[in-house]
Structure formats: structure tokens, C-alpha cells
Amino acid sequence: MRQRRTLAVTSITAFAMATMLSACTAGDDDTFRVAAFTAGYGTPVGKYTLDAFVERGEELGWDVTLHTSDFDYDVINTDVVSSITQGTDAVLAGFPDPRQIAPLVNAAEEADVPIFSIDGGVEPNDDFVVDVTTSQQQIAELTVGALEEAMGGLEGKEVMIIGHDPHVGIMTRSGIAYDLLTEAGATVTPDEVRQVLNPGTSQEEALQFVTDYLQANPAGLDGIWNGWDHAAVGAAQAATEAGREDVVVTGVDAVGIALNEIEKDGPFHATVVQDWPGILDIVIGQLEHYADTSELPEENFIESDVTLVTIDNVADIEPTG
């Protein structure tokens, strides 16, 4: 593990010497310190994964400080930069938006502190010594394929897409889904991805999107593609309440409430399991190796496969979070 930096003293006084001795003692501490953060702690997957990281890290004897916010990156940047300034050995970025973390990335680079990331983008990024994530292409292909099968084809079908662009992964898979649907002859209505403002209220927002649309177009919509499960639960609820259980709904994440809806064999047709426990295992292993050897990962971008969940296999799926 790398030695932690200490402050130099400029005055030979008893107070200054005491300060220097105190700083040296902190620098000689063998405890591996990690500053972990997520702006998405209010989401089930974000909370589940970061809580598990803290628990696993503490079991390994690490000193883990968790910084969270409700998608407020000003708070995240301020808090993590402070942790880096005070002294930390590594940073764990949980589901970060690479577009909004430049201050903490710069601070980490200046202090020579590596950033290990979970779901930090859709392509290699030199800001991270490693980013372990899932294949957004695979997610989109599996869920659009589930819509196609359940609707008997995509040509001439009307589909709504519900996404959240501040999350890079959701934005990417939503865009891929849009392209796949339109290229196959489906009409995306209202010709754009409907944007949820806050994932924490996504079930209610999606419920309102679909309710409003079906009230204005009672015979409209053949399917609703959602970038994550809570939005899909709201969309499925709206379809049911409108008497349109023929509308096919898909989600992503395999949270418990989504699996329950799929078991009902109603509008909620399919979701996707992203292997967050497996991804966490990889990142924990990479950090543990770094703590022991100071060696950085050989690859800085690792994609994990996902699994489609339908009525056929839902009973065998462990819920996420």
C-alpha cells in the first residue's frame, strides 16, 4: 500500500513538532482507506451495491467513507475532494456520471489516488483505473427482442420509451433501443425518449406519462420500453388501470417488485438481471490486490453479461437489492 502524504512543518516549536509527529503517525497507519461515492443512493441498485461495498470493505479491515447525494454532483465533488485532500488510498465511484465528476477526478490525479468504478460509462475512460459495468448493447437487444416476440413483430407497432439521460448507462441503452425499434419499423411515440426527472419518483412519473397518453389515445401503444424497473412498474400499472393489459412492458434491473409483476403474467413482460454482486466481486478483488501490491488493474474496462427474465425463468431469479 502506498504511504500517505504528510504535511511539512516550517517552524521548530513544540507545537509544530507535535503536529509533525502526529502526521507521521497517521502516515504510518497501515489501514487501507477508501472514499466511496454515489449520487444514486436513492435508487435500489445504487443503495444495495454501495452498502454491500462498505460492508465487504470493512470486513477486509479497510476504512471506508461513503459519500452520497440525490444526484447532486456539487455535493459529491466537494465531499470526495475533501476526502482526497485529507488522505485516502483509493476512490470507489459507484454508478458515476463521468461528465460531472471532473473536480474529484482532477484532485485524485494530483494526489496520485486511483479511481475504481462500478458502471461508470459505456466505453473505456482513462479517468478510471478500471470500470466494471454491463453491456448496454446486450441489455437493449434482449429487451427489444422480448418486445418483438411478445408483440408478434415490431413492424407498424407503437412503442413508448422511458429513460433518464443523466444516467449514462440508461441514456445509452435507451438510445440503442430507439434505434433498434425504429430500424425494425416500429413507431416511437412521441418520437423521442420520455425523460423521468428523478429515478426516486420514476414509478409515479412513468405512471403519469402512460396514463396521460392512454387517456388521449385509448387504442394507442403496443409496448413500453423502460430503462429500469421502477419506471416499468409504473408503466405497467397505468396500462392495467386503463384496461390495456395487452400492452407489453419491459424493464431493467430485476428488482423484487418487478419480479413480482412478471409473475402475475400481466403487462410487465420482461426485465434484465445485471450481475451487480459479480461486478462488485471483481472490483473488490481489484482493490484488494492494489491494497496488497500497489499494482493497478491490467484492463481499465470490463463488461459483464446480463440475463433476460420472463415468466419462464422468473421463479429462478434472485431479486436485485
Side-chain angles (χ1 to χ4, degrees):
M1 186 183 73
R2 296 174 309 162
Q3 262 326 75
R4 294 164 55 79
R5 298 185 175 187
T6 57
L7 294 174
V9 294
T10 58
S11 176
I12 307 176
T13 64
F15 175 78
M17 289 299 294
T19 302
M20 187 176 188
L21 288 171
S22 174
C24 288
T25 300
D28 289 337
D29 184 356
D30 286 336
T31 302
F32 185 65
R33 292 174 170 81
V34 183
F37 74 86
T38 184
Y41 194 68
T43 65
V45 172
K47 183 179 188 329
Y48 162 79
T49 306
L50 270 294
D51 285 350
F53 175 81
V54 172
E55 181 178 353
R56 293 273 299 277
E58 291 178 346
E59 288 173 354
L60 290 166
W62 301 347
D63 180 356
V64 182
T65 302
L66 177 59
H67 303 286
T68 68
S69 78
D70 186 15
F71 293 94
D72 187 337
Y73 277 94
D74 289 336
V75 170
I76 291 295
N77 280 303
T78 298
D79 290 348
V80 178
V81 168
S82 178
S83 280
I84 293 169
T85 302
Q86 292 171 25
T88 193
D89 296 299
V91 172
L92 185 281
F95 310 95
D97 183 343
R99 301 165 297 184
Q100 300 194 61
I101 58 173
L104 72 85
V105 168
N106 292 337
E109 183 176 352
E110 289 175 8
D112 196 24
V113 173
I115 302 176
F116 295 72
S117 176
I118 294 174
D119 198 34
V122 295
E123 59 187 7
N125 183 343
D126 289 340
D127 290 344
F128 309 128
V129 296
V130 67
D131 179 34
V132 189
T133 186
T134 52
S135 170
Q136 303 303 319
Q137 182 74 35
Q138 191 179 42
I139 290 172
E141 289 178 353
L142 286 174
T143 47
V144 170
L147 282 176
E148 181 176 21
E149 181 179 357
M151 296 189 306
L154 295 174
E155 181 72 37
K157 299 298 194 302
E158 183 181 47
V159 180
M160 180 181 290
I161 298 176
I162 298 178
H164 179 66
D165 280 358
H167 185 288
V168 175
I170 294 174
M171 178 186 70
T172 301
R173 59 182 176 254
S174 299
I176 296 171
Y178 182 97
D179 291 341
L180 290 172
L181 287 163
T182 54
E183 288 168 5
T187 298
V188 174
T189 185
D191 195 30
E192 61 184 3
V193 177
R194 296 298 307 266
Q195 294 292 325
V196 164
L197 298 178
N198 184 343
T201 58
S202 60
Q203 185 171 334
E204 294 80 6
E205 290 187 58
L207 170 65
Q208 197 62 56
F209 287 163
V210 178
T211 297
D212 289 348
Y213 190 83
L214 290 178
Q215 285 178 348
N217 307 274
L221 292 182
D222 298 290
I224 306 168
W225 186 98
N226 298 270
W228 67 106
D229 279 343
H230 280 79
V233 170
Q237 180 184 345
T240 298
E241 292 177 354
R244 291 292 314 281
E245 293 209 351
D246 58 305
V247 176
V248 181
V249 177
T250 62
V252 176
D253 281 334
V255 298
I257 190 172
L259 300 183
N260 291 340
E261 288 299 313
I262 291 173
E263 287 177 336
K264 295 177 183 178
D265 202 17
F268 203 139
H269 176 70
T271 187
V272 163
V273 172
Q274 300 180 80
D275 186 14
W276 300 122
I279 287 172
L280 183 59
D281 284 345
I282 294 172
V283 175
I284 290 281
Q286 301 267 22
L287 270 162
E288 191 172 10
H289 182 74
Y290 174 71
D292 292 340
T293 68
S294 296
E295 295 177 357
L296 296 174
E298 295 181 359
E299 297 179 77
N300 80 332
F301 187 68
I302 301 171
E303 285 188 308
S304 170
D305 287 339
V306 301
T307 301
L308 184 71
V309 183
T310 66
I311 191 67
D312 296 330
N313 65 342
V314 65
D316 301 323
I317 301 299
E318 189 74 21
T320 300

